Amino acid sequence: MSTAELMETVQPGVDDQAEAALLKVEGLTRVYGDRIGCADVSFSVWPGEVLAIVGESGSGKTTLLNCISSRLTPTCGTVHYRSGDGVSSDIFKMSEANRRRLMRTDWGFVHQNPIDGLRMTVSAGANVGERLMAVGDRHYGNIRQTAIEWLGRVEIDADRIDDQPRAFSGGMRQRLQIARNLVTGPRLVFMDEPTGGLDVSVQARLLDLLRGLVSDLGLAVIVVTHDLAVARLLSDRMIVMKQGRVIEAGLTDRLLDDPRAPYTQLLVSSILQV
Ligand SMILES: Nc1ncnc2c1ncn2[C@@H]1O[C@H](COP(=O)(O)OP(=O)(O)O)[C@@H](O)[C@H]1O
Ligand SMILES: [Mg+2]
């Protein structure tokens, strides 16, 4: 299916809505030497929408997520982000300072491994407070109070506030990483396999928590997962990748009920068996 056809099936009237898209990705390609990371990927994300990027290991999900969150430079293609003032800009044409500000304020990034998204040798409270300070909050009492509230929202007891995350379990670390990301009220959060390294029971609880937070806060999320069950629980819309390319895209309910590409049919039948 061509990119134009995909856009047509996923986003009828996309031109009318282009103004409102929060993130607009066009023709994004990233190669590693002669190996394809991702190729000619185009999609948009609207405010408050959860988009899942699914596909087997090596299909290009992480490459795509890292490019659209500006952590990796694409070989070609553009990513436009519309900020709160309504102005849409190409994130790769921004100054480094503006891009860093965006990543600290409007955007969040939840890594699969919480060690990559936390500071392991400062307290849980400081991990949350640091993001607040980065957006200009200087009042110690307020910062600590907000940190306590956020620990509560991610089900970490307030009496753990002075503990370092290295004393936490995997599930707690991941919840702390989520609090650290959400405390500044981002408009768009990127997540790479957020439940990936956890036990099944811990995964289920985390997914529940994430689902509640995303809907309470009206967050837009782009979540990468190889697990269709995660996509089913969290996302409104999905794109399916294979060998770096988008092979199918659509509303999550439709796509899981009626997968069209043989590869998606295979993925869907594999979750129905478990
Ligand atoms: N740093 C890298 N150097 C070379 N090849 C890479 C690198 N990162 C990813 N790749 C290749 O790009 C393709 C997509 O990988 P990746 O984006 O990690 O997929 P996924 O997240 O879906 O598992 C794979 O063929 C992978 O081997
Ligand atoms: Mg990956």
Side-chain angles (χ1 to χ4, degrees), residues 124-125 128 146-157 161 176:
V128 177
T146 307
I148 289 172
E149 279 164 30
W150 267 95
L151 291 181
R153 288 188 85 159
V154 297
E155 300 167 8
I156 295 174
D157 288 340
I161 189 168
L176 180 63

Side-chain angles (χ1 to χ4, degrees), residues 30-33 35-38 54-66 72 192-193 224 241 243-244:
R30 165 73 197 209
V31 296
Y32 301 99
R35 182 178 294 171
I36 291 175
C38 64
V54 305
E56 66 193 350
S57 174
S59 58
K61 305 180 299 294
T62 295
T63 300
L64 176 60
L65 192 75
N66 286 342
L72 186 67
D192 192 357
E193 307 272 7
V224 156
M241 294 187 71
Q243 293 169 353

